[in-house]
Amino acid sequence: MPRLSSNPVEVLARLGYGARGVVYGLVGCLALLAAIGSGGQTGGSRSALQTLLSQPLGQIWLVLIALGLFGFCIWRVVEALTDADHRGSDMKGWGVRIAHLISGAIYAGLGVSALRLALGRGSGGGEDQAAQDWTAWLMSKPFGLWLVGLIGLAVAATGLGFAWKAWRGDAAARLSLPADKRQWVISLGRMGFAARGVVFVIIGGFLILAALHGSSSEVHGLGGALQTLQQQPYGWVLLALTAIGLFAFGLFGLVQARYRHIDAPDIDDAKAAVAQIER
């Protein structure tokens, strides 16, 4: 559980990391069941959330997850605009902060989907369709194909960055961990970043192919990436390993909710920083 804090931004951030962890845990668990032939599915985040509807108190869980994801969106925006994580204002720092803004928008959309599911106003499908719709819209703009291709390269590069972090990076760099928990948390983080690296590279590849072929129908999200793995030779093994990694990242998210160092600004400080940027 998140640590209690008097700073509302920190509370939102911790709830957000926990909610994101739950989503990844669900996706990983269902994909693993699909890999070993015990049910499950590879439909991505929205389809995974839909499975909660049939569980006891499913609607309440969906509302709580939605609120957590909205909190994560707010934290990402505050983090990016105020540099709460001290990324810096050089090219690399702004790159990370812009990526976090985009991440916030994506999780806000997922939060809306979870809330609509809880209220009986939506379905769990449509993840690929949503990706294809925005890609088609972007392709219709001047230099749209180039922009889609560049986004694909950026997503794939992010995936390679996750893979590098899994191999050589310190997954616990921003965690304030007790010494006896550090090693297994680092192992969880590395497994999780490796799995995210795989799916991000595949999703980036979809976008690049869409740009090359001028077809938005080639774009797929997380579910499409998992299905692609499943369709390869020994696909069930590839899917199972990736699913275990995604489940591990879900657990890592819960650890982040408890132990991540969050230097959240006060609400007034955050407003002042945003106003300064607007000027």
Side-chain angles (χ1 to χ4, degrees):
M1 294 294 293
R3 291 181 293 184
L4 295 177
S5 171
S6 60
N7 188 316
V9 177
E10 180 178 346
V11 172
L12 290 173
R14 295 195 184 281
L15 292 174
Y17 281 111
R20 185 179 69 164
V22 170
V23 173
Y24 268 100
L26 277 173
V27 172
C29 184
L30 291 170
L32 181 59
L33 291 174
I36 63 178
S38 296
Q41 46 97 348
T42 56
S45 303
R46 297 185 187 185
S47 295
L49 289 174
Q50 189 180 30
T51 63
L52 288 177
L53 282 176
S54 60
Q55 305 305 312
L57 303 178
Q59 289 179 306
I60 294 176
W61 280 113
L62 282 170
V63 170
L64 292 175
I65 290 171
L67 294 176
L69 292 173
F70 292 143
F72 192 69
C73 169
I74 292 170
W75 162 241
R76 282 303 205 205
V77 172
V78 170
E79 176 190 24
L81 296 182
T82 68
D83 196 20
D85 257 350
H86 308 292
R87 303 285 181 175
S89 298
D90 57 6
M91 184 176 295
K92 180 181 177 181
W94 271 112
V96 173
R97 291 162 68 180
I98 290 171
H100 284 177
L101 278 176
I102 296 171
S103 168
I106 291 171
Y107 283 109
L110 186 58
V112 170
S113 296
L115 194 58
R116 287 175 60 85
L117 281 170
L119 299 176
R121 298 179 181 175
S123 64
E127 189 169 276
D128 283 356
Q129 188 61 54
Q132 290 167 9
D133 287 346
W134 76 257
T135 304
W137 173 84
L138 188 56
M139 284 181 171
S140 68
K141 305 303 177 183
F143 305 104
L145 290 176
W146 286 97
L147 290 173
V148 170
L150 288 173
I151 292 171
L153 287 172
V155 172
T158 301
L160 293 175
F162 286 147
W164 175 261
K165 189 168 186 177
W167 181 37
R168 299 294 296 273
D170 184 1
R174 296 181 181 273
L175 301 179
S176 302
L177 291 168
D180 60 334
K181 294 182 173 67
R182 185 174 180 82
Q183 193 54 54
W184 70 264
V185 169
I186 289 176
S187 297
L188 275 181
R190 285 182 171 170
M191 291 169 61
F193 282 114
R196 291 187 83 199
V198 170
V199 297
F200 268 63
V201 167
I202 294 174
I203 292 170
F206 289 147
L207 287 162
I208 293 169
L209 287 175
L212 290 174
H213 299 158
S215 173
S216 63
S217 63
E218 299 205 30
V219 177
H220 302 281
L222 175 57
L226 295 175
Q227 290 164 17
T228 297
L229 287 171
Q230 192 175 29
Q231 293 163 3
Q232 305 308 307
Y234 299 101
W236 74 271
V237 177
L238 297 175
L239 178 60
L241 291 173
T242 304
I244 291 170
L246 293 175
F247 183 76
F249 190 76
L251 295 178
F252 185 72
L254 299 181
V255 173
Q256 288 178 302
R258 175 64 176 84
Y259 291 108
R260 194 185 194 278
H261 175 71
I262 297 174
D263 189 13
D266 293 331
I267 294 294
D268 290 340
D269 292 339
K271 289 180 180 178
V274 172
Q276 184 67 30
I277 290 174
E278 290 176 346
R279 287 200 293 269

